[in-house]
Amino acid sequence: MHTLVFLSTRQVLQCQPAACQALPLLPRELFPLLFKVAFMDKKTVVLRELVHTWPFPLLSFQQLLQECAHCSRALLQERPSTESMQAVILGLTARLHTPESGASTQPLCRKHALRVLDMTGLLDDGVEQDPGTMSMWDCTAAVARTCIAQQQGGATEPGPAPIPVEVRVDLRVNRASYAFLREALRSSVGSPLRLCCRDLRAEDLPMRNTVALLQLLDAGCLRRVDLRFNNLGLRGLSVIIPHVARFQHLASLRLHYVHGDSRQPSVDGEDNFRYFLAQMGRFTCLRELSMGSSLLSGRLDQLLSTLQSPLESLELAFCALLPEDLRFLAQSPHAAHLKKLDLSGNDLSGSQLAPFQGLLQASAATLLHLELTECQLADTQLLATLPILTRCTSLRYLGLYGNPLSMAGLKELLRDSVAQAELRTVVHPFPVDCYEGLPWPPPASVLLEASINEEKFARVEAE
């Protein structure tokens, strides 16, 4: 149930002009709840005035839009309203154009001036948007346009300079948006509105553009870098990685298509790989690493040994891992700290099974998320692994899609998982019982593309 304070706040905001006039009379302690209710109910006039006159140094979406004692609704888990986001940006613009003793509802006081607007943490599920909500790219574009407009507008009114505000955002950039976002970052240098990127995702961006963008970002602010679909290879990565390594507070790094095949070594490839490893050793705060679709056969020990701190999240999907890679990981300091592990696309059915089980045993106390899509795990391998899997008492997510499991194997899995109180989601494949004429063992591509016998599936589903 909503609290009486929440219900009273919602009632106060019903008449927006009156609510704006009442803001100077309300305790500062009510402003956080006022912001959440105004954002939730799209009270854009009040929302703009709240940002315009915010009495605290920090306005953080992650703090204000989460579940709270007054309202269980977590707005960060929903697509943000376009109207509400635009109202926040308009309030910020109005604040920048209001001097210390402006004629707003509440005069701006430097003692309690807004210094940081943190807009990070908004939902980004990649789903096509409706006109009433903002995608992550829409949010990036809206803030970028404000930075450019602020710089182009300049200071036209006499009097004290506006109080600078640092705007923390998650940025999404691709080939089409690169030039626009680069201009926004350049415009924010020396501007009262300072754009600060906390989470960067660059998709299909040429190497030189990626480097130019990284050079414009604040070294003390960036926490996550995700380079997607860039197919850099070791040569390209050796150019980019020193620019990434200067972000000493980086906590998460996602790189893909890093090719280092030890079976066909070359002098240049070996030099580039050693240089990449040396740069990886510069990170002091790295907790999450994703190296999807990188050829790391027999090289995982070299990569993980360079890191200064244990990882909490490790994604090694489609990395052609060998038994020695899994054995090393199981015996490394990382295993006992892992909360998320993704081994999708690595064959765990043969000689890799025992090392994988050893890894699972080593990480059982901490593991929350385990992704094993397309790992060639049939009933025999699953049943042999279940005793160890059930020791992962904190596990919340288990992904087994694309594995050749029968209905009997799935029954055993579900029966044993009852003891795992924290387990919330199990993503399993269509049982092989539902197919006709499967080759054995069936390749993952066959399981993903073959037709399902609907009558058989209906019986299995009902059971």
Side-chain angles (χ1 to χ4, degrees):
M1 294 178 63
H2 293 144
T3 64
L4 182 59
V5 176
F6 176 90
L7 297 173
S8 301
T9 301
R10 175 169 273 177
Q11 190 63 34
V12 165
L13 298 186
Q14 290 302 310
C15 179
Q16 295 193 73
C20 290
Q21 292 180 359
L23 285 182
L25 307 176
L26 297 176
R28 295 167 64 234
E29 290 75 16
L30 286 179
F31 271 60
L33 185 56
L34 285 165
F35 182 91
K36 181 175 183 178
V37 175
F39 196 97
M40 180 190 306
D41 293 346
K42 303 176 187 176
K43 300 297 183 181
T44 55
V45 176
V46 177
L47 195 57
R48 175 178 174 174
E49 188 64 18
L50 281 168
V51 177
H52 187 191
T53 60
W54 193 253
F56 306 106
L58 172 66
L59 194 163
S60 169
F61 279 21
Q62 294 197 51
Q63 293 181 9
L64 299 174
L65 301 182
Q66 64 180 345
E67 180 179 347
C68 66
H70 300 289
C71 172
S72 61
R73 187 171 170 184
L75 297 176
L76 282 177
Q77 298 176 13
E78 304 174 17
R79 185 65 60 174
S81 157
T82 299
E83 294 177 57
S84 296
M85 290 297 295
Q86 289 175 341
V88 171
I89 293 172
L90 288 172
L92 176 63
T93 303
R95 188 177 188 107
L96 292 173
H97 287 86
T98 303
E100 284 186 73
S101 55
S104 62
T105 304
Q106 298 185 64
L108 300 185
C109 172
R110 283 193 178 271
K111 182 178 179 182
H112 300 298
L114 177 65
R115 303 291 185 183
V116 177
L117 172 59
D118 190 341
M119 301 172 70
T120 62
L122 294 173
L123 180 66
D124 183 27
D125 57 12
V127 178
E128 195 66 30
Q129 299 313 303
D130 64 79
T133 62
M134 270 194 172
S135 67
M136 185 60 69
W137 162 242
D138 293 330
C139 297
T140 295
V143 175
R145 280 193 294 268
T146 304
C147 289
I148 295 172
Q150 176 66 27
Q151 184 66 15
Q152 292 175 346
T156 57
E157 298 181 5
I163 302 169
V165 177
E166 177 183 293
V167 182
R168 297 175 183 170
V169 290
D170 298 332
L171 298 181
R172 302 292 178 263
V173 58
N174 54 28
R175 288 174 182 261
S177 61
Y178 164 74
F180 170 65
L181 186 56
R182 181 187 59 183
E183 182 183 358
L185 288 167
R186 286 176 173 173
S187 299
S188 74
V189 177
S191 169
L193 183 59
R194 178 169 168 260
L195 194 59
C196 185
C197 176
R198 297 296 297 266
D199 183 346
L200 174 69
R201 189 171 81 194
E203 298 182 359
D204 195 24
L205 205 60
M207 182 173 61
R208 64 181 182 279
N209 291 356
T210 303
V211 170
L213 195 64
L214 290 169
Q215 290 174 333
L216 289 171
L217 300 180
D218 189 328
C221 190
L222 196 66
R223 295 294 182 270
R224 291 181 175 85
V225 170
D226 184 354
L227 304 181
R228 299 192 178 192
F229 317 122
N230 293 319
N231 200 12
L232 295 170
L234 279 174
R235 183 179 179 185
L237 191 60
S238 65
V239 175
I240 289 177
I241 193 64
H243 298 281
V244 178
R246 75 183 182 90
F247 301 105
Q248 290 299 300
H249 299 292
L250 197 73
S252 177
L253 178 61
R254 299 179 66 89
L255 304 169
H256 303 277
Y257 305 108
V258 178
H259 306 296
D261 190 352
S262 59
R263 294 167 293 186
Q264 294 180 340
S266 66
V267 175
D268 289 342
E270 289 301 306
D271 288 345
N272 287 332
F273 191 66
R274 281 194 293 269
Y275 182 70
F276 167 67
L277 295 178
Q279 296 298 315
M280 290 295 292
R282 295 173 57 186
F283 295 112
T284 58
C285 300
L286 197 65
R287 294 294 180 270
E288 302 175 359
L289 179 62
S290 176
M291 299 287 293
S293 300
S294 300
L295 198 51
L296 296 176
S297 304
R299 293 197 161 194
L300 193 61
D301 59 335
Q302 298 177 56
L303 173 62
L304 298 183
S305 296
T306 64
L307 303 180
Q308 296 191 31
S309 303
L311 295 171
E312 295 180 358
S313 174
L314 181 59
E315 300 179 33
L316 299 170
F318 299 93
C319 286
L321 298 180
L322 301 176
E324 54 262 39
D325 295 314
L326 297 173
R327 276 193 291 268
F328 171 81
L329 181 55
Q331 297 167 8
S332 73
H334 303 283
H337 293 82
L338 285 177
K339 296 180 180 179
K340 179 177 182 179
L341 178 63
D342 185 352
L343 297 176
S344 297
N346 294 285
D347 187 350
L348 302 179
S349 64
S351 58
Q352 288 94 332
L353 182 62
F356 163 65
Q357 292 172 340
L359 171 58
L360 201 58
Q361 178 67 49
S363 58
T366 57
L367 204 58
L368 305 177
H369 185 116
L370 180 60
E371 187 67 71
L372 301 173
T373 296
E374 297 183 35
C375 287
Q376 293 296 310
L377 293 172
D379 288 1
T380 302
Q381 291 82 24
L382 179 64
L383 294 177
T385 307
L386 276 180
I388 303 173
L389 188 60
T390 52
R391 294 174 196 160
C392 301
T393 54
S394 300
L395 195 66
R396 299 174 185 171
Y397 174 95
L398 175 61
L400 289 169
Y401 194 72
N403 289 289
L405 300 174
S406 71
M407 187 59 184
L410 288 176
K411 280 184 179 180
E412 290 294 327
L413 170 66
L414 295 175
R415 188 177 297 119
D416 286 11
S417 65
V418 171
Q420 295 173 282
E422 298 299 319
L423 191 60
R424 294 290 178 268
T425 306
V426 177
V427 181
H428 64 77
F430 290 102
V432 292
D433 314 59
C434 299
Y435 296 90
E436 291 181 349
L438 278 180
W440 197 265
S445 58
V446 173
L447 290 176
L448 296 175
E449 297 173 7
S451 298
I452 300 293
N453 184 306
E454 296 294 342
E455 185 178 338
K456 289 183 178 181
F457 178 64
R459 288 198 301 267
V460 166
E461 188 177 34
E463 184 178 353

